[in-house]
Amino acid sequence: MTQTSEAPAAKEDQKPPTRPRLRIHRAWFVAAVTFVTIIGAAAFRSVPGLLIEPLREEFGWSRGTIGAAVSINLALYGLTAPFAAALMDRFGIRRVVAVALTVISAGSLLTVWMTAAWQLLLYWGLLVGLGSGSMALAFAATVTNRWFTERRGLVSGILTAASASGQLIFLPLLSWIVTRYDWRPAAVTVALAALVVVPFVWLLLRDHPADVGQKPYGAKEFVPKPAPVPGAARRTVGVLLKAVRTGPFWLLAGTFAICGASTNGLVQTHFVPAAHDHGMPATAAASLLAVIGVFDVVGTIASGWFTDRFDARRLLAVYYALRGISLLFLPMLLAPTVHPPMIFFIVFYGLDWVATVPPTLALCREHYGEDSAIVFGWVLASHQVGAALIAFLGGFARDTFGSYDLVWYASGALCAAAALMALVIRRTPAAPGPAVA
């Protein structure tokens, strides 16, 4: 009996152990679709610096007039973001993003037939501003908050880098199209890029892990899909009214306004014409901006990794201080040709371009819990208001003084102030509540 009972057991022991099948969590597929979507929406953000000179030559518009359209676009990009985050809670991510991409495509395409400055303000400023605002970083924050409980810093860094990737992909192409053909084919290219992404969003993006019967990545328990939140506008304004009564909101909004002023408003809008003032070809300057995009991807993803491990306030202080130092040196580096010190600036500045986003998002999440995506939308609005202000003032300063030097120095000083502001943001307990603190 003993021998017969042990024989089957011995055979069972000889079976090779079964290996668990490796399955990739659906959250990573959603993050990948979000990444591609933001890249498509980022195409238009590569255009403004390339079109200032062509529009000025064709229509005779001043840099200040063109800068005003850029300012409207940048301001709406930020002001739309918190409402878009609330609309995603009401109607779902897919619907809001698909409509936003269609509006971007329509606004870009309509610029082909414009003949007056007010049309530039309407198509380029209003329509594309509203569409791109709905595709802003609040979209990335909403996806991150819903689909991930672990690796949030890393994922927010990757999705933030999507804008830089879009710049990397489209900027050299659009620069070549503008130089070889005209600015109109470039506008059509942007319109098509936004439109092509719509089917991917509709077919592949999902609003919540519960839609596919999964837990958020890293969650220990299943999270039911919340009911649609009515009154998107009322909720957005209500969250703002609560947040403005807290000190961290003003510090985050102030630092992020300086972030926008020293990146989108200044470098992205005025670097190409400023380099052209010093004799550098527009294609070479646009290529340098694309290289900034390369290193921005590295810097932003690294910043997300750091944010999961270090104090977000100190990270922000370091980022702003380094950016300010680099901008103070830029006027001395502009020249007709690309030389090693300029390449060093491009690499150094590129690593810092939007590295501020993951720690800023983490601080919003730390202080404002479930409302953090909407609060971050309002903080992003300040980012774009700062960008819009400098986009206009940069063109005005160039028209008035014949040089961008004053704007570079002022932006460097503002970055130093932002570094100090970041350090005085207060800490919160380790587990913040869901309501605004």
Side-chain angles (χ1 to χ4, degrees):
M1 293 292 294
T2 305
Q3 291 180 352
T4 55
S5 62
E6 287 179 353
K11 290 181 179 179
E12 289 180 3
D13 291 342
Q14 293 172 1
K15 290 182 179 180
T18 58
R19 296 181 179 179
R21 204 166 59 174
L22 181 63
R23 296 183 61 185
I24 301 176
H25 196 283
R26 182 65 177 267
W28 294 108
F29 290 103
V30 172
V33 174
T34 304
F35 186 91
V36 173
T37 304
I38 295 175
I39 286 178
F44 198 89
R45 298 180 63 198
S46 304
V47 174
L50 300 177
L51 299 193
I52 289 178
E53 290 301 322
L55 292 178
R56 192 173 65 84
E57 292 175 4
E58 178 171 341
F59 298 106
W61 299 334
S62 68
R63 287 183 176 88
T65 298
I66 300 170
V70 177
S71 297
I72 293 173
N73 178 285
L74 292 174
L76 286 176
Y77 178 86
L79 293 172
T80 306
F83 293 95
L87 286 171
M88 288 176 189
D89 288 340
R90 174 67 179 89
F91 298 105
I93 297 174
R94 282 197 305 170
R95 293 178 181 178
V96 174
V97 172
V99 171
L101 286 168
T102 305
V103 171
I104 291 173
S105 181
S108 181
L109 193 60
L110 286 170
T111 59
V112 172
W113 294 284
M114 68 182 178
T115 56
W118 68 266
Q119 294 170 327
L120 177 69
L121 300 177
L122 176 62
Y123 303 149
W124 192 353
L126 180 64
L127 289 181
V128 177
L130 289 173
S132 58
S134 300
M135 295 292 307
L137 294 173
F139 167 43
T142 301
V143 170
T144 304
N145 288 350
R146 289 187 183 184
W147 283 88
F148 293 86
T149 58
E150 293 182 357
R151 304 289 189 269
R152 281 177 168 175
L154 177 62
V155 174
S156 62
I158 292 172
L159 296 182
T160 302
S163 293
S165 300
Q167 177 177 296
L168 167 64
I169 293 169
F170 287 102
L171 191 56
L173 172 63
L174 296 175
S175 175
W176 179 80
I177 292 174
V178 170
T179 304
R180 182 73 180 269
Y181 299 102
D182 189 18
W183 64 268
R184 288 178 176 84
V188 173
T189 301
V190 170
L192 293 176
L195 203 58
V196 164
V197 181
V198 174
F200 291 94
V201 170
W202 195 256
L203 295 174
L204 301 177
L205 194 63
R206 291 294 178 268
D207 293 328
H208 196 276
D211 290 339
V212 291
Q214 289 191 339
K215 299 180 291 185
Y217 180 81
K220 296 180 180 179
E221 298 180 356
F222 182 81
V223 179
K225 183 177 181 178
V229 182
R234 183 173 63 252
R235 183 187 174 207
T236 303
V237 175
V239 170
L240 174 64
L241 293 177
K242 292 179 182 179
V244 296
R245 294 198 292 266
T246 66
F249 174 81
W250 291 105
L251 291 169
L252 289 168
T255 55
F256 225 41
I258 294 172
C259 178
S262 57
T263 53
N264 301 81
L266 181 60
V267 174
Q268 189 167 32
T269 304
H270 294 291
F271 179 81
V272 173
H276 188 67
D277 285 345
H278 288 77
M280 183 181 293
T283 51
S287 298
L288 290 177
L289 273 184
V291 174
I292 286 178
V294 175
F295 288 95
D296 176 34
V297 173
V298 177
T300 308
I301 294 175
S303 177
W305 188 86
F306 290 142
T307 302
D308 286 331
R309 291 160 175 79
F310 301 106
D311 186 344
R313 302 172 308 148
R314 296 186 179 182
L315 288 175
L316 283 179
V318 171
Y319 296 156
Y320 284 120
L322 293 177
R323 183 185 300 174
I325 292 171
S326 66
L327 288 173
L328 291 176
F329 280 97
L330 181 57
M332 295 178 281
L333 302 178
L334 291 169
T337 58
V338 179
H339 48 86
M342 173 58 78
I343 294 175
F344 179 79
F345 166 82
I346 293 297
V347 173
F348 189 86
Y349 182 85
L351 290 171
D352 199 300
W353 176 269
V354 284
T356 55
V357 173
T360 300
L361 180 55
L363 288 169
C364 286
R365 196 157 45 233
E366 177 182 323
H367 285 274
Y368 303 107
E370 292 181 354
D371 291 329
S372 61
I374 297 177
V375 174
F376 180 72
W378 284 114
V379 171
L380 179 63
S382 71
H383 181 282
Q384 296 308 118
V385 169
L389 187 62
I390 293 299
F392 171 73
L393 291 178
F396 179 78
R398 172 61 180 80
D399 291 337
T400 303
F401 302 108
S403 170
Y404 284 103
D405 288 358
L406 180 63
V407 186
W408 303 123
Y409 294 136
S411 297
L414 285 173
C415 287
L420 295 176
M421 293 166 64
L423 289 175
V424 299
I425 298 174
R426 65 177 175 83
R427 288 179 175 273
T428 61
V436 175

